[in-house]
Structures are given as structure tokens and as C-alpha cells.
């Protein structure tokens, strides 16, 4: 099977398995913890920790971004240290964007919550119902896996989501690309972009980038707004 056909087959099989039997809460929690720990190993200082089909690290360009920032040391850091047995988890049902963050940010800055919510929903729901040359395809499962994987990298867990889907739908080279774009965008190369989903259209791969950026922004907002809520209460 081609990469595309294999991905569509996995999506179909996941949907059938979901209809036949749902995983228990304990199983889903275990799968999340496994995915969360593995996400810490995807990239270390821009070098792939996983064996991937292509070697990306030799293409990373040292971009001088110091002219654009005041603090050269400011950048992404993993939310936990590698090797820790108990990594912190942000349980989404305890503080969600829809039920908590949205109303708080509107209080702090009138109407900004509506604008952000519209932006999140538009990007998340955007679809032409296509996958490369295939039409009338429901891509909901794939879009949710991309969005939730970014939140997983930030330690955010949704109790109603089976993170086994992430591992089945997102191959390792794509995970490397996701973490690089999300956490180290200045290190992203064209070769990395070209290496995954080779049969997909550019518009579909650009949509992936939009999903990653909005997922990261929402994750950052959730942490910040939860901290503000705790301070106010």
C-alpha cells in the first residue's frame, strides 16, 4: 500500500474498532502516559531521537533570530525532564477552553474570547473532505489526532480521547515534523516538509501547520489562564 492508502486504511480500521468496543478509562490513561513520555524523546536540541527514514538534523540551519527578540535565551523547553517516572498532567476537563478559558479571557479583554474561539473553531473544522486524490473523506479523526498530539506534548490530556489513535495515525517522521514546527519553528526545513504525506496537496499540508499553531496557542492559553484563575480565587 502507498502511504496514503495505508493511512486511510488505518482511519477506517480505527472507526470500526471504535464502533465494536471502546477502550476503558484505565487503558486510555495508560496510552496517554506512554504517548506523553515518548513525545519528550522526539527531538532533543533539534536532533531526532527516533530512527527516521531521513536524517533531518544535518539540514537544520542556524538562523540568526537575535535581531527580533530581546531575550536570546527564551525558547521552548519540555514541560518535564526526561527519565522522570511521574510527569505532570494537565487534565483538560478540570480547565477547558470552552468552559473556563473563554469566559475569563473575555472578562480580561472584551470580545477577544469570541475572536479566539472563532479562530480555533475555523481552523479545527476546516476541511474539503478530501485526502490527496480521494474525495468525500471524513478527516475528523486525523484532525483530532494532530490537535491532541500537540496538547499531549504540552502535558494536556482529554479523558474522552483514546491516544492509541495518535500512535496509529501519526508516523514517527510526522511526529518529528510536528514537534519541530510547534516548538522549534526556526529549525523547520523544506526536506522535513516534503518527507511526510508525499501524495497530499500543499493546501492540505498547510492546513496541518495551521492546526499545529492553533493547538499550541490554545495549550499556552490554557496554562496561562488557569494560573490567572488560581490567582484570582
Amino acid at each position: 500500500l502507498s502511504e496514503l492508502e495505508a493511512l486511510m486504511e488505518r482511519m477506517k480500521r480505527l472507526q470500526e474498532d471504535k464502533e465494536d468496543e471502546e477502550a476503558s478509562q484505565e487503558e486510555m490513561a495508560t496510552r496517554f502516559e506512554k504517548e506523553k513520555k515518548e513525545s519528550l524523546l522526539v527531538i532533543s536540541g533539534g536532533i531526532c531521537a527516533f530512527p527516521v527514514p531521513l536524517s533531518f538534523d544535518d539540514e537544520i540551519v542556524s538562523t540568526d533570530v537575535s535581531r527580533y527578540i530581546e531575550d536570546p535565551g527564551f525558547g521552548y523547553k519540555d514541560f518535564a525532564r526526561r527519565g522522570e517516572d511521574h510527569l505532570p498532567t494537565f487534565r483538560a476537563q478540570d480547565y477547558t477552553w470552552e468552559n473556563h478559558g473563554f469566559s475569563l479571557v473575555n472578562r480580561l479583554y472584551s470580545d477577544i474570547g469570541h475572536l479566539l474561539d472563532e479562530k480555533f473553531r475555523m481552523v479545527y473544522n476546516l476541511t474539503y473532505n478530501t485526502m490527496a486524490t480521494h474525495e468525500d473523506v471524513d478527516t475528523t479523526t486525523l484532525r483530532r489526532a494532530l490537535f491532541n498530539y500537540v496538547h499531549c506534548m504540552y502535558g494536556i490530556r482529554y479523558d474522552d480521547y483514546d491516544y492509541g489513535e495518535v500512535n496509529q495515525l501519526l508516523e514517527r517522521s510526522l511526529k518529528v515534523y510536528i514537534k519541530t514546527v510547534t516548538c522549534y519553528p526556526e529549525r523547520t526545513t523544506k526536506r522535513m516538509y516534503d518527507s511526510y504525506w508525499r501524495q497530499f496537496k500543499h493546501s492540505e499540508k498547510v492546513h496541518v501547520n495551521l492546526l499545529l499553531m492553533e493547538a499550541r496557542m490554545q495549550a499556552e492559553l490554557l496554562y496561562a489562564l488557569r494560573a490567572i484563575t488560581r490567582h484570582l480565587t
Side-chain angles (χ1 to χ4, degrees), residues 5 27 29 36 38 48 80 86 94 100 117 124 133 139 147 159 170 178 188-189 194 201 203 221 224 228 230:
E5 299 296 337
E27 288 174 323
K36 182 174 64 172
E38 287 185 355
C48 302
H86 302 288
D94 295 335
H100 305 91
D117 190 62
Y124 186 85
T133 57
T139 60
F147 196 92
D159 283 354
L170 310 183
I178 289 171
T188 308
T189 66
D194 291 336
K201 301 173 185 175
S203 60
L221 279 173
I228 293 173
R230 288 175 173 176

Side-chain angles (χ1 to χ4, degrees), residues 9 21 31 46 62 71 106 113-114 151 165 184 194 228 232:
E9 181 63 29
E21 183 180 358
R31 291 169 185 173
S62 179
D71 181 6
N106 258 349
H114 293 287
H151 279 206
E165 294 185 8
Y184 313 99
D194 291 336
I228 293 173
L232 294 176

Side-chain angles (χ1 to χ4, degrees), residues 74-91:
F74 181 81
Y76 171 83
K77 291 184 179 180
D78 284 321
F79 68 94
R81 294 181 180 178
R82 297 178 183 82
E84 289 184 357
D85 292 330
H86 302 288
L87 304 179
T89 295
F90 184 137
R91 299 186 66 188

Side-chain angles (χ1 to χ4, degrees), residues 19-203:
E19 293 172 356
D20 293 340
E21 183 180 358
E22 290 189 5
S24 67
Q25 283 293 319
E26 184 178 354
E27 288 174 323
M28 291 198 290
T30 300
R31 291 169 185 173
F32 169 77
E33 290 299 326
K34 180 181 178 181
E35 200 64 49
K36 182 174 64 172
K37 289 179 180 179
E38 287 185 355
S39 74
L40 297 176
L41 303 174
V42 171
I43 287 184
S44 177
I47 299 176
C48 302
F50 285 134
V52 293
L54 296 173
S55 178
F56 297 144
D57 51 294
D58 60 352
E59 277 204 8
I60 292 173
V61 179
S62 179
T63 306
D64 181 15
V65 296
S66 59
R67 73 190 77 175
Y68 306 114
I69 56 178
E70 296 180 0
D71 181 6
F74 181 81
Y76 171 83
K77 291 184 179 180
D78 284 321
F79 68 94
R81 294 181 180 178
R82 297 178 183 82
E84 289 184 357
D85 292 330
H86 302 288
L87 304 179
T89 295
F90 184 137
R91 299 186 66 188
Q93 74 272 17
D94 295 335
Y95 198 93
T96 66
W97 165 255
E98 293 81 4
N99 298 330
H100 305 91
F102 173 80
S103 57
L104 175 59
V105 80
N106 258 349
R107 281 173 49 199
L108 299 174
Y109 192 157
S110 181
D111 292 332
I112 192 67
H114 293 287
L115 296 173
L116 288 170
D117 190 62
E118 181 181 1
K119 186 160 69 85
F120 292 146
R121 291 178 185 274
M122 181 180 295
V123 170
Y124 186 85
N125 295 321
L126 179 64
T127 179
Y128 300 124
N129 294 311
T130 63
M131 286 181 64
T133 57
H134 294 264
E135 298 181 351
D136 298 321
V137 181
D138 183 357
T139 60
T140 303
T141 303
L142 187 56
R143 283 181 279 126
R144 191 177 185 190
L146 290 164
F147 196 92
N148 284 2
Y149 181 63
V150 173
H151 279 206
C152 178
M153 290 194 306
Y154 281 81
I156 300 174
R157 180 197 168 200
Y158 294 89
D159 283 354
D160 62 346
Y161 182 69
D162 183 358
Y163 287 85
E165 294 185 8
V166 168
N167 216 32
Q168 293 188 57
L169 295 177
L170 310 183
E171 67 275 12
R172 287 178 173 179
S173 60
L174 178 54
K175 287 181 178 179
V176 170
Y177 178 78
I178 289 171
K179 189 162 187 181
T180 305
V181 169
T182 306
C183 307
Y184 313 99
E186 74 280 2
R187 297 174 179 171
T188 308
T189 66
K190 186 177 184 301
R191 188 178 182 186
M192 295 175 69
Y193 172 85
D194 291 336
S195 69
Y196 81 95
W197 291 357
R198 293 175 178 84
Q199 296 168 292
F200 281 64
K201 301 173 185 175
H202 286 300
S203 60

